[in-house]
Amino acid sequence: MQAEYESLMDNKINTWTLVDEPEDQQVLPGKWVYKVKYGANGQVDTLKARYVAKGYAQIEDLDFFDTYAPTCKPETFRILLATAARKDLYLGQMDVKSAYLHSKIEEEIYLEQPEGFVKKASSGQKLVCKLNKSIYGLKQAAKNWYEALTSLLLKKGFKRSCNDYCLFVRKEENGTFSYVLVWVDDIVVAGATEEAINEIKSMLNENFKMDDRGDLNWFLGMQILRSHDKITVDQMKYIETVLQEFNMSDCKAVATPGELSRFLDKPDESHWKAAKRVLRYLKGTTDLRLTFVKNSSCDIVGDSDADWSGDLNDRKSTTGYYFKFEGNGGAISWEVKKQATVALSTAEAEYQAMAAAAQEAIYLRALLKDFGFPMEKATDIGEDNQSCIKMCHNPVMHKRSKHIDTKLHFIRERVENKEIKIHYVPTEEMTADILTKSLPRVKVAKHRTVLLGN
């Protein structure tokens, strides 16, 4: 608490000014919050105390206006790791100390003094904090911090990605690219040389109070390990924590998971048993890692699949797809989602799934362009339904397909423009099956290896 208070009182930050309590404006309540932060090996890293405002008491259009602040997309982080493995980039990590306190606040807001550190005027009158910076807990604090960091990076020659506002890219004089990826106050930096990384870190240190975490090895609960030819990602610590929380640490492992996520609304005992099976599956897979390798291509490939009428309650189908860099590396993007409408045939269900996969492929192509390596050839997507493939290539209309929503037909345009290429994959080789169907253990292991990489 003392360290946090000293940080708030830092003259460089100038968090607040003590003033007499105003008569015509509300004073927001505040409180101390405490958190234990863990390191890569599960050890206690820091014991954190933070004084925050109770933002729920703020009044919209008076105490705050816009509040939105972006966070990086998981696909962007995986692409960065895959790029680092392929191009042998240096990866570093920094943590911003009291990040929100580095951003100014435009609104006039008053806050109670922190408990245990209350000061009074010489006359004995009560004093409150008139905020100069965006303290934690305010609804607009995250937005203000993001704008402050973005302003600095743009001034230093970085360009913000149009497809992920938390990715910043700069082309260096030697033709290589440097990257900054932001998740609130956690920052990942990547560059072709150690000098490039150190230059970015120095620039951030000059403008904010930073904690240099060295090489990237722990990010958002994920452990990142690096060898000379690959980068791996795992969540072993998180899985162990979940198993301990539900007293399943000593459970018997199983080789296949079950279906669960679509029953979150009104679960019953059968769903609890399914949830326990998922935990037992996690017990047996704690050592699995998502792997990105050095010899992978810069072209992305993927598969699309659907489980027609698989939901026995409403007969809706399930969409499943994944994408990865061509080669032995792991997946950079995947999704499993129940379709919004009932499909009347397997071809229609597969067509809906392919439309969703095509949207993701187009997004990934745009994101890769922001990374500095636009794709020259079409993105190859595997499909195991011949009727679906024909529908994607030929604008035919007949009784069984004329009712399909026009918006799904955009995929034909993408095929004609050579952005998307669809090829037939036998069902036995369809890796996306693992995302939409319950499979025997042999197939689960086979398809899982493709998704995780090796």
Side-chain angles (χ1 to χ4, degrees):
M1 289 172 65
Q2 182 66 40
E4 172 69 4
Y5 182 73
E6 290 175 359
S7 177
L8 292 170
M9 293 295 99
D10 191 318
N11 290 330
K12 291 183 179 180
I13 295 180
N14 188 28
T15 309
W16 59 58
T17 303
L18 291 179
V19 298
D20 294 335
E21 185 175 6
E23 297 180 357
D24 57 345
Q25 283 189 264
Q26 72 160 338
V27 177
L28 295 179
K31 69 174 183 178
W32 286 100
V33 295
Y34 308 94
K35 184 178 182 180
V36 179
K37 301 188 78 172
Y38 296 94
N41 298 319
Q43 79 283 4
V44 175
D45 190 5
T46 55
L47 300 175
K48 183 69 177 177
R50 176 165 283 152
Y51 185 64
V52 304
K54 295 183 179 181
Y56 62 79
Q58 287 183 267
I59 301 173
E60 189 172 2
D61 294 331
L62 178 62
D63 296 325
F64 70 95
F65 297 90
D66 295 332
T67 61
Y68 175 75
T71 53
C72 72
K73 297 179 175 63
E75 296 84 0
T76 309
F77 179 60
R78 297 186 203 112
I79 290 176
L80 181 62
L81 293 181
T83 302
R86 189 175 70 253
K87 294 184 174 292
D88 204 20
L89 302 181
Y90 288 85
L91 286 170
Q93 183 177 11
M94 302 192 80
D95 180 61
V96 189
K97 296 180 180 179
S98 302
Y100 290 0
L101 303 184
H102 292 285
S103 56
K104 296 180 180 179
I105 189 168
E106 297 179 355
E107 297 81 10
E108 186 175 344
I109 297 179
Y110 297 88
L111 176 70
E112 291 178 347
Q113 292 190 63
E115 183 181 357
F117 301 91
V118 177
K119 296 180 180 180
K120 292 186 178 182
S122 57
S123 61
Q125 188 175 352
K126 181 180 179 181
L127 297 176
V128 297
C129 305
K130 182 175 185 275
L131 295 181
N132 303 318
K133 298 294 179 67
S134 298
I135 197 169
Y136 284 81
L138 295 181
K139 292 183 178 294
Q140 66 269 48
K143 168 183 171 291
N144 291 345
W145 156 243
Y146 171 77
E147 290 178 347
L149 178 60
T150 298
S151 177
L152 172 66
L153 292 174
L154 294 180
K155 288 178 182 178
K156 297 300 181 179
F158 283 89
K159 291 185 178 180
R160 183 170 58 183
S161 167
C162 295
N163 298 283
D164 188 336
Y165 273 25
C166 290
L167 172 67
F168 298 84
V169 183
R170 183 175 69 186
K171 190 172 184 179
E172 306 295 350
E173 293 181 356
N174 60 4
T176 62
F177 290 90
S178 296
Y179 306 97
V180 173
L181 188 64
V182 181
W183 180 283
V184 191
D185 56 358
D186 288 317
I187 298 177
V188 177
V189 293
T193 64
E194 195 169 2
E195 290 74 18
I197 292 291
N198 291 334
E199 186 274 327
I200 296 173
K201 288 184 175 181
S202 296
M203 175 264 293
L204 292 171
N205 264 317
E206 290 172 2
N207 291 272
F208 308 116
K209 293 181 65 176
M210 306 294 298
D211 181 13
D212 190 346
R213 297 281 180 161
D215 294 335
L216 178 64
N217 56 41
W218 185 260
F219 187 67
L220 302 180
M222 296 176 284
Q223 181 175 234
I224 296 94
L225 300 175
R226 186 165 196 169
S227 62
H228 70 283
D229 61 348
K230 64 183 178 182
I231 295 175
T232 63
V233 183
D234 70 73
Q235 290 185 287
M236 183 181 297
K237 170 59 183 173
Y238 177 73
I239 294 174
E240 291 174 351
T241 301
V242 172
L243 291 174
Q244 290 175 4
E245 183 176 348
F246 291 97
N247 297 319
M248 297 283 286
S249 297
D250 299 321
C251 67
K252 183 178 179 180
V254 295
T256 58
E259 296 181 1
L260 185 63
S261 60
R262 64 180 54 165
F263 302 111
L264 298 179
D265 187 22
K266 296 180 180 179
D268 56 29
E269 186 175 350
S270 65
H271 303 135
W272 169 241
K273 291 180 180 179
K276 291 177 67 176
R277 182 177 180 85
V278 171
L279 293 176
R280 292 172 62 194
Y281 174 75
L282 291 176
K283 170 69 175 179
T285 58
T286 54
D287 59 338
L288 294 182
R289 293 181 171 91
L290 187 61
T291 303
F292 302 107
V293 296
K294 190 172 183 178
N295 61 353
S296 61
S297 165
C298 62
D299 295 314
I300 55 173
V301 296
D303 286 343
S304 170
D305 189 54
D307 178 27
W308 178 50
S309 195
D311 192 322
L312 300 180
N313 294 317
D314 56 16
R315 286 302 181 182
K316 290 182 179 178
S317 307
T318 302
T319 288
Y321 63 77
Y322 77 92
F323 289 96
K324 58 184 289 187
F325 286 108
E326 192 172 12
N328 296 327
I332 57 173
S333 174
W334 59 84
E335 184 175 53
V336 181
K337 186 177 182 179
K338 189 163 76 170
Q339 295 178 1
T341 59
V342 176
L344 301 184
S345 65
T346 55
E348 182 181 344
E350 297 280 358
Y351 195 54
Q352 289 192 45
M354 181 58 71
Q359 292 178 53
E360 183 69 7
I362 293 165
Y363 166 72
L364 292 175
R365 289 171 66 91
L367 189 56
L368 289 172
K369 186 177 180 180
D370 291 339
F371 268 89
F373 38 95
M375 295 186 63
E376 300 295 335
K377 65 179 187 179
T379 299
D380 212 346
I381 304 178
E383 171 59 54
D384 63 357
N385 186 284
Q386 294 282 16
S387 296
C388 173
I389 295 176
K390 291 178 181 179
M391 291 170 64
C392 292
H393 286 91
N394 306 312
V396 293
M397 288 290 181
H398 48 73
K399 290 182 179 180
R400 300 192 67 177
S401 64
K402 64 182 182 180
H403 65 282
I404 296 176
D405 198 328
T406 305
K407 69 179 181 182
L408 299 177
H409 295 314
F410 88 100
I411 188 173
R412 293 173 179 167
E413 182 180 286
R414 302 298 179 171
V415 171
E416 291 175 3
N417 293 342
K418 302 190 183 306
E419 294 179 70
I420 303 294
K421 179 183 177 182
I422 302 170
H423 71 280
Y424 176 72
V425 174
T427 300
E428 288 296 316
E429 303 298 324
M430 174 52 68
T431 300
D433 262 0
I434 194 175
L435 303 175
T436 60
K437 304 175 181 69
S438 296
L439 300 176
R441 66 175 64 189
V442 175
K443 283 192 174 183
V444 167
K446 175 184 176 181
H447 296 324
R448 188 176 62 198
T449 300
V450 176
L451 290 177
L452 292 177
N454 51 52

